[in-house]
Amino acid sequence: MSLSGKIAVVTGGSRGIGRAICQRLAALGATVIVNYVSNPAAAEETVASIQNAGGKAEAVQFNVATSEEIEAAFKKILDAHGRVDILVNNAGITRDGLLMKMKDEQWDEVLNTNLKGVFLCTKAVSRGMMKQRWGRIINITSVIGFAGNAGQANYAAAKAGIVGFTKSVAKELASRGITVNGVAPGYIVTDMTKDLSEEVTNTIKNEIPMGVLGEAEDIAGAVAYLASDDARYVTGQFIHVNGGMFM
């Protein structure tokens, strides 16, 4: 697979799964725009790791939940590079709590970042992709969006919403040479999971047929495939990367 000459934007690309995706796309030849919100040091670490490996990357700050910031950021990207070929909607947050105790703010924050952000960023790149008649949009959902999880009604709703959004946009853009797909990670070793107790981690492992948590690179591999010409006839689909936890 080669992504030489392609311009890729990865939201939430400064660490964890996002960082692994940035590194994999860059290793395949893409110029990667690493989006971040509040941690410029982490974003620059990602950029440096790519550049040190001989790749091309730069960091761009914007909040995916804010349309004005997205408009300004994508104008900057287009002015500098002329196009966006690949968009990976990876940015996400959690604000966990049981439904009866969940505050409006917890619901709104998660839906705005995890779902509205996908809508806004996809909208921002779609016109240019339609004109060039080539594009790859890859949305990171979650096993929780398919299976649900107590204490994560907001997160599950947002991630399930991405599923319907992906299928709808895939149908809208297919005739223009644009594919829209998703990757649904299971439990992956990231900053979100590293603080789980040993007891909770073992409980999760017992629910996974393969018996281990995944690595960020496992998700990056699925994204790389969907971004490549090898997946040119794949659209509206989801790759579940979860060790068999959800089938």
Side-chain angles (χ1 to χ4, degrees):
M1 296 187 294
S2 173
L3 299 176
S4 180
K6 303 298 186 185
I7 308 299
V9 176
V10 180
T11 68
S14 64
R15 57 187 179 177
I17 290 172
R19 175 176 290 182
I21 292 170
C22 290
Q23 291 169 334
R24 182 67 65 91
L25 298 183
L28 292 173
T31 297
V32 179
I33 312 300
V34 180
N35 159 252
Y36 70 98
V37 179
S38 59
N39 194 339
E44 290 301 335
E45 284 179 17
T46 302
V47 169
S49 72
I50 291 170
Q51 292 175 342
N52 291 338
K56 299 177 182 178
E58 62 187 67
V60 176
Q61 181 183 27
F62 61 90
N63 185 341
V64 299
T66 306
S67 56
E68 293 81 8
E69 290 189 26
I70 289 172
E71 184 177 345
F74 277 95
K75 182 181 185 304
K76 178 181 177 180
I77 293 166
L78 291 172
D79 286 346
H81 300 282
R83 58 194 289 136
V84 173
D85 301 293
I86 300 162
L87 170 66
V88 182
N89 285 306
N90 168 73
I93 62 171
T94 57
R95 297 289 185 269
D96 296 349
L98 294 174
L99 176 65
M100 295 300 293
K101 296 182 178 181
M102 186 174 290
K103 298 177 180 178
D104 290 1
E105 292 80 7
Q106 290 173 283
W107 177 272
D108 291 342
E109 286 179 28
V110 170
L111 269 290
N112 284 340
T113 296
N114 296 13
L115 183 57
K116 185 181 178 182
V118 174
F119 157 67
L120 292 174
C121 291
T122 301
K123 186 177 178 181
V125 303
S126 59
R127 189 180 302 274
M129 288 183 177
M130 289 173 71
K131 287 182 179 180
Q132 67 198 32
R133 303 190 72 84
W134 198 98
R136 298 285 186 269
I137 298 170
I138 301 148
N139 300 322
I140 307 300
T141 176
S142 170
V143 63
I144 303 304
F146 290 86
N149 196 33
Q152 289 191 305
N154 49 3
Y155 186 79
K159 292 299 188 178
I162 290 173
V163 176
F165 176 84
T166 298
K167 293 179 179 181
S168 297
V169 178
K171 290 184 176 183
E172 288 188 25
L173 301 181
S175 65
R176 299 300 183 95
I178 303 166
T179 67
V180 188
N181 294 290
V183 175
Y187 282 90
I188 307 298
V189 178
T190 66
D191 289 345
M192 281 188 177
T193 58
K194 71 178 183 180
D195 293 329
L196 295 175
S197 69
E198 184 177 354
E199 180 181 0
V200 171
T201 301
N202 288 335
T203 299
I204 292 170
K205 288 180 179 178
N206 288 335
E207 297 176 1
I208 302 171
M210 293 185 74
V212 296
L213 302 187
E215 301 288 341
E217 289 74 17
D218 298 322
I219 309 305
V223 171
Y225 163 68
L226 291 172
S228 74
D229 282 332
D230 286 354
R232 66 181 182 85
Y233 200 53
V234 179
T235 197
Q237 305 302 316
F238 292 85
I239 299 178
H240 293 266
V241 186
N242 57 44
M245 184 178 184
F246 176 85
M247 299 184 187

